Amino acid sequence: MRAVATPLAAYVCRSCATGTRSARTHLQLRLASSFAARNSTPFSAFFFDNHRWSHTHKNVALQPSRGHSIDTAYTMAAETTVRPFREAEVLTPQRLAKIYWQLSKSSLTVLVVLTAMSGVALSPLPTSVPVLLSTAFGTALCSASANTWNQIQEVPYDAQMARTRNRPLVRRAISPLHATGFAVATGIAGPALLWTMVNPTTALLGAANIALYAGAYTYLKRKSTLNTWVGSVVGGLPPLMGWTACGGSLLPSSLHSFELVLPSFMSSLSALPTDAALADNPLAPLALFLLLYSWQFPHFNGLSHLVRESYAQAGYRMLCVLNPHKNATVALRHALLLVPATSILMPLAGLTTWGFAVTSLVPHAICIDAAYKFWRYGGEKQARKVFQHSLWYLPVLLGLMMFHKRGMDWGSWVGLDSDEVAEEQHADTVKA
């Protein structure tokens, strides 16, 4: 039995190889005959016969072909109107407002405004309603501009990720020129409103937020993992805007130096600063900045680990893609850093009483435990826990800060001290 020079030579004898060759030849002939029969009808006939799609009634007898034996004539009822393009939806005011809302990344913009308002609420300096509303609206315009510029630059990459494919520019709900006009308008109106109605410092912070997010952060997303740190700086600016909106200073000076408020059992070591000194303590905005800056890492690193395949597909250089273990390490590091940055620095700066240092330990402990498990095991279940805890952690911590705000008498708000107030008023009346 002699071997045959075929790919199966080592396994197939001559007679078997002959049978295989004949079967293959028969199959090729059948395929050729099938293709020939299919090509008997021109391919373009199925798409470019205008008489089939015209509005005028024409009875055309079709040539029978293999697999397509049609003997009936076309009628007006069977005709279908086909356009060479899909008509865009009319941008009604309601639909346009919805698209603007999506370009602004509504959830992110709401978070930015709330953190800016936290700076206003925690500031011991007085403010007015017009300044409060102008700060909120101006911050929202700055955030809308930054997010719109970000989406304009990332259309090709958003189209590759499942969670961003439905954005307005990707699905062509609005033209890039229209979106650019919206970004320019909000980018000018936001800082201009803050400049005229609040103060120049707040306006410059709003403009810096736009430049950092739409410029440095968006550019670095495809260049370096440092984009996460730049994005965290962007997230830490809104509470500074709220602080400066009330007239607070960000840097120490001869008039405003760092003042430390020690616990009561250590008050004998140094004199307590006056209320006037605490009203504009530069240590307070630093504490607010560190809270939002460090919170970004557990929040974003947990979320990015869950969608790391999408980031890799779009070509973004994220820690979750390039070094997942370091991604979890950074999340744990900043979860630990949040303890001294808030529980110690907040009361030390005079923003809260030292009771906040005790009550804030509970949310700290829960988030640190989740971040530790994420660092140890590195699974999606642990990453989801870190992200979910970060969602409630920030509002809970801000709420505790408001509850323990220095100088805030919550008892008088709910009427617990009404008797004492009445007695004081009665004593003043008797003296008069």
Side-chain angles (χ1 to χ4, degrees):
M1 193 180 297
R2 189 173 57 180
V4 183
T6 63
L8 302 177
Y11 307 98
V12 183
C13 63
R14 184 180 181 89
S15 59
C16 295
T18 304
T20 304
R21 192 183 304 113
S22 61
R24 184 169 53 192
T25 304
H26 179 65
L27 178 61
Q28 291 175 350
L29 290 175
R30 287 188 58 188
L31 290 175
S33 63
S34 300
F35 289 139
R38 291 181 181 180
N39 291 334
S40 60
T41 302
F43 179 78
S44 61
F46 293 100
F47 299 95
F48 302 113
D49 287 352
N50 294 329
H51 62 271
R52 299 187 181 187
W53 311 109
S54 61
H55 292 284
T56 59
H57 175 68
K58 290 185 179 180
N59 292 331
V60 181
L62 298 180
Q63 296 294 332
S65 59
R66 180 168 180 159
H68 299 281
S69 57
I70 304 176
D71 299 329
T72 59
Y74 281 91
T75 61
M76 288 294 291
E79 289 182 358
T80 306
T81 303
V82 176
R83 296 181 178 89
F85 58 89
R86 182 174 65 88
E87 292 184 356
E89 296 179 348
V90 179
L91 288 179
T92 61
Q94 182 179 2
R95 186 175 290 116
L96 188 60
K98 182 179 180 181
I99 291 176
Y100 286 161
W101 190 245
Q102 293 171 343
L103 286 175
S104 305
K105 297 182 182 177
S106 56
S107 299
L108 183 57
T109 296
V110 169
L111 176 63
V112 168
V113 173
L114 289 178
T115 53
M117 292 300 98
S118 69
V120 176
L122 290 168
S123 175
L125 296 172
T127 187
S128 61
V129 174
V131 170
L132 179 67
L133 295 178
S134 299
T135 303
F137 193 53
T139 303
L141 290 174
C142 292
S143 177
S145 177
N147 290 321
T148 303
W149 282 119
N150 172 264
Q151 292 188 54
I152 291 173
Q153 299 175 72
E154 294 185 343
V155 173
Y157 316 119
D158 286 344
Q160 302 178 50
M161 298 194 296
R163 72 184 188 93
T164 56
R165 284 176 188 165
N166 201 37
R167 286 180 174 174
L169 286 168
V170 177
R171 68 176 192 268
R172 300 183 181 181
I174 191 174
S175 68
L177 181 61
H178 191 160
T180 302
F182 175 72
V184 171
T186 52
I188 294 175
L193 178 64
L194 294 173
W195 187 287
T196 55
M197 296 297 296
V198 187
N199 54 56
T201 304
T202 308
L204 291 176
L205 288 174
N209 212 334
I210 298 174
L212 282 175
Y213 189 81
Y217 172 70
T218 303
Y219 173 78
L220 288 174
K221 284 175 71 175
R222 299 183 61 81
K223 300 296 181 181
S224 171
T225 56
L226 291 177
N227 67 81
T228 306
W229 279 261
V230 175
S232 297
V233 172
V234 174
L237 290 181
L240 300 187
M241 296 173 65
W243 180 266
T244 58
C246 297
S249 59
L250 298 178
L251 300 176
S253 63
S254 58
L255 298 177
H256 309 290
S257 59
F258 288 118
E259 299 288 347
L260 302 180
V261 180
L262 299 177
S264 57
F265 63 88
M266 299 178 62
S267 59
S268 59
L269 300 179
S270 62
L272 289 174
T274 61
D275 292 338
L278 290 178
D280 198 4
N281 188 0
L283 194 61
L286 175 62
L288 292 173
F289 174 82
L290 288 178
L291 166 61
L292 270 296
Y293 175 80
S294 293
W295 172 82
Q296 302 283 334
F297 289 94
H299 174 74
F300 178 76
N301 289 18
L303 173 63
S304 63
H305 185 84
L306 299 174
V307 294
R308 61 191 184 278
E309 293 86 359
S310 297
Y311 280 127
Q313 185 177 4
Y316 289 125
R317 298 185 64 82
M318 299 292 180
L319 274 179
C320 59
V321 176
L322 303 177
N323 194 338
H325 181 68
K326 186 177 180 180
N327 181 64
T329 303
V330 171
L332 176 60
R333 182 187 304 158
H334 283 272
L336 293 170
L337 184 61
L338 280 168
V339 178
T342 56
S343 296
I344 297 177
L345 197 56
M346 293 290 181
L348 200 62
L351 280 175
T352 66
T353 63
W354 280 97
F356 173 75
V358 179
T359 57
S360 62
L361 291 178
V362 176
H364 285 320
I366 296 175
C367 290
I368 290 174
D369 177 67
Y372 171 75
K373 291 178 180 178
F374 179 39
W375 170 78
R376 183 175 182 181
Y377 302 106
E380 291 192 0
K381 179 181 178 181
Q382 291 76 26
R384 186 173 289 105
K385 282 290 185 181
V386 171
F387 173 69
Q388 290 174 346
H389 286 323
S390 69
L391 295 177
W392 60 259
Y393 171 86
L394 184 61
V396 166
L397 212 65
L398 292 174
L400 288 175
M401 290 169 63
M402 280 301 303
F403 182 78
H404 293 284
K405 181 182 177 181
R406 182 172 293 276
M408 180 64 71
D409 186 10
W410 291 104
S412 61
W413 280 58
V414 297
L416 295 179
D417 298 336
S418 56
D419 295 337
E420 297 180 3
V421 173
E423 292 177 0
E424 292 177 359
Q425 292 177 350
H426 178 71
D428 294 338
T429 304
V430 171
K431 291 179 181 178

